[in-house]
Amino acid sequence: MKKLLTVFFVAMLILSSAGTAFAADITYVVKKGDTLGKIGKAYGVSYTSIASKNKIKDPNLIIVGQKLIIPKDETTTNTNANSTTNENKSASITVTDVTGRVVSLSSPASKILGTHNPSLNTGIVLGGGDKYIAGFGNKKMANKLYDYVMKDYDGIVQIGMGSNINYETVATLGKNNVAILPERFKSQVEQYEKVGVTAIVALSNTESFESIKRSLTIVGKVLGEDTKASKINAFIDKTVKETKATAAKAKTKPSVLFLGSSSSFSVASSSMIQTDIIEMAGGTNAVKGLNVKGDFADVNMEQIIAWNPEIIWVPKYASYTAESLLSNSKWSSIKAVKNKAVYVFPSDLEPWDYPTASAALGLSWGLHNLHPELYSLNQVMKDADEFYSLVYGKTFTAQELGIN
């Protein structure tokens, strides 16, 4: 009898374990108005898990009548898998954003989202890829860098573009995500919070290396990545200090005009990171008397001729080219054009002139471009290797960086 009872209990334990480990997946048929986020919320699983289970490359594209396999046992599996990684991430935190709002979180955010991709870059560098990104802005503006450091860029949901946001989609992505905004999008805070998502303004309208560091510190605290934020900020501090010390040895300070991407008549004013790069690298910003916060300023040809810059920097992602300026007779009287000193600012892998951590590399390249006798291309490459190794555990060739 005892032997029979023992066999019975062992059998029950096996069946119980099998029931937990091999819980049957659910088949769901897509209905009109469904999204992976909605379906995932209904079944307590993430939209990314459903997409992965069904080999869906674009989570935004599902078809009415399509059969989906819902991974039933994700909650149990994830709880066990995350019990170690999140054990030190349970404490409540308080963050003061750049507008002075004091925001309290019961624990670090699972992920961040928003439509201002430079602001979301904080989460990308802190997570070394897409680890902390739940929702993105215009995905067509993807950097080549994402191909190297993101495991599933296609799987990240585009929640909108600029001020046009699908807040219903935001809500389906989870309540423990935090929206990260630039100051010029601060009016969106209320809308995010109406759908239960905390919003934090992390990037100031007045761009500088200090504002970049502050955004990393804020988002580092939001994600529980304070240590990595401090390491990246230390790299920025070191680069700024060494660049200033080297530039101080320069005998000249050429005037530089940094043009915007939308047109050759948009220019970087004094409140932009481009001005920090120019001045710290040993140049002077040719633009005078303009202070358009958080954006490029539009000017006319007469104004550019009056400034008469010695050097012109054009972003690679511009709607025009450096060659188009050099061949345009209207620009021919300008010193930079006469001397063929019109250069493409590095942005093949990612823009080095955005208000993001990689702007420190824009500083290194700017020093090399303005004063090559003081800072070689090899030194720029060493800086790039150090930065990308720190942030992503990878290095890139000069050709991949677009500085060969």
Side-chain angles (χ1 to χ4, degrees):
M1 184 65 179
K2 286 183 178 179
K3 187 174 181 181
L4 286 172
L5 284 172
T6 301
V7 171
F8 173 76
F9 283 123
V10 169
M12 289 299 291
L13 284 170
I14 291 172
L15 288 171
S16 175
S17 299
T20 301
F22 303 107
D25 290 330
I26 295 171
T27 299
Y28 178 86
V29 179
V30 176
K31 300 178 179 63
K32 185 176 181 180
D34 275 344
T35 65
L36 287 190
K38 279 185 182 178
I39 298 167
K41 187 176 182 182
Y43 287 96
V45 297
S46 67
Y47 75 92
T48 54
S49 294
I50 300 174
S52 176
K53 184 75 174 178
N54 294 274
K55 298 181 180 179
I56 297 173
K57 291 185 177 181
D58 185 354
N60 296 307
L61 183 60
I62 55 175
I63 303 169
V64 174
Q66 181 178 356
K67 292 183 179 180
L68 301 176
I69 303 298
I70 311 297
K72 183 72 175 176
D73 61 341
E74 185 199 53
T75 303
T76 303
T77 303
N78 282 352
T79 300
N80 293 332
N82 292 334
S83 61
T84 301
T85 57
N86 290 334
E87 63 182 2
N88 296 320
K89 290 195 171 190
S90 58
S92 61
I93 56 175
T94 300
V95 179
T96 302
D97 74 7
V98 300
T99 66
R101 292 170 59 248
V102 178
V103 181
S104 295
L105 303 172
S106 58
S107 64
S110 299
K111 296 189 177 188
I112 62 173
L113 48 81
T115 57
H116 186 247
N117 295 351
S119 294
L120 293 183
N121 182 263
T122 50
I124 295 172
V125 297
L126 290 170
D130 52 1
K131 176 181 178 181
Y132 291 126
I133 307 300
F136 223 58
N138 187 356
K139 292 182 68 178
K140 290 181 179 179
M141 293 179 66
N143 300 327
K144 288 182 183 177
L145 175 68
Y146 298 165
D147 293 335
Y148 296 99
V149 304
M150 290 194 174
K151 294 179 181 178
D152 187 23
Y153 181 72
D154 289 340
I156 298 174
V157 174
Q158 179 174 302
I159 64 169
M161 289 188 282
S163 59
N164 185 17
I165 299 170
N166 187 328
Y167 289 101
E168 183 179 348
T169 299
V170 169
T172 66
L173 296 177
K175 297 294 177 67
N176 197 40
N177 296 322
V178 170
I180 299 298
L181 316 177
E183 189 176 2
R184 59 194 172 104
F185 286 1
K186 64 182 180 181
S187 61
Q188 296 175 2
V189 169
E190 186 177 352
Q191 290 299 318
Y192 276 108
E193 295 187 340
K194 279 183 179 179
V195 296
V197 174
T198 300
I200 292 175
V201 182
L203 186 64
S204 170
N205 279 341
T206 302
E207 299 174 1
S208 67
F209 283 102
E210 287 303 314
S211 67
I212 292 171
K213 291 187 332 183
R214 186 178 180 187
S215 68
L216 283 164
T217 299
I218 290 172
V219 180
K221 184 171 283 191
V222 167
L223 294 171
E225 289 284 1
D226 307 70
T227 300
K228 189 165 185 182
S230 295
K231 288 180 179 179
I232 297 172
N233 283 344
F235 175 85
I236 294 173
D237 283 336
K238 179 174 73 74
T239 304
V240 167
K241 182 179 179 180
E242 292 177 356
T243 300
K244 284 181 175 180
T246 303
K249 301 172 186 176
K251 296 178 180 178
T252 61
K253 285 190 174 184
S255 62
V256 182
L257 179 66
F258 203 122
L259 297 178
S261 62
S262 60
S263 103
S264 56
F265 299 114
S266 63
V267 300
S269 67
S270 60
S271 66
M272 303 195 70
I273 190 62
Q274 288 83 355
T275 297
D276 260 15
I277 292 173
I278 292 169
E279 293 179 350
M280 290 180 183
T284 59
N285 192 349
V287 175
K288 306 295 181 185
L290 296 178
N291 187 26
V292 179
K293 292 187 176 181
D295 209 348
F296 285 82
D298 293 325
V299 296
N300 54 39
M301 191 74 243
E302 290 73 22
Q303 182 63 79
I304 292 175
I305 291 172
W307 285 329
N308 198 20
E310 297 171 83
I311 291 174
I312 294 175
W313 287 344
V314 177
K316 179 68 178 288
Y317 51 88
S319 59
Y320 55 94
T321 64
E323 289 74 19
S324 67
L325 300 184
L326 290 168
S327 62
N328 191 328
S329 60
K330 293 180 180 178
W331 290 72
S332 61
S333 64
I334 296 170
K335 287 180 183 178
V337 175
K338 282 183 178 179
N339 298 325
K340 300 189 185 307
V342 180
Y343 304 100
V344 177
F345 203 86
S347 49
D348 272 23
L349 191 68
E350 63 172 331
W352 285 1
D353 65 303
Y354 276 8
T356 61
S358 64
L361 299 179
L363 193 54
S364 296
W365 181 86
L367 177 61
H368 164 69
N369 180 260
L370 298 181
H371 305 289
E373 74 285 1
L374 298 176
Y375 213 71
S376 69
L377 190 60
N378 284 338
Q379 287 171 296
V380 177
M381 284 301 302
K382 286 180 181 178
D383 292 338
D385 286 349
E386 182 181 351
F387 175 78
Y388 287 116
S389 294
L390 168 65
V391 176
Y392 302 111
K394 299 177 182 290
T395 58
F396 301 94
T397 65
Q399 184 175 1
E400 288 169 334
L401 294 172
I403 61 173
N404 56 320

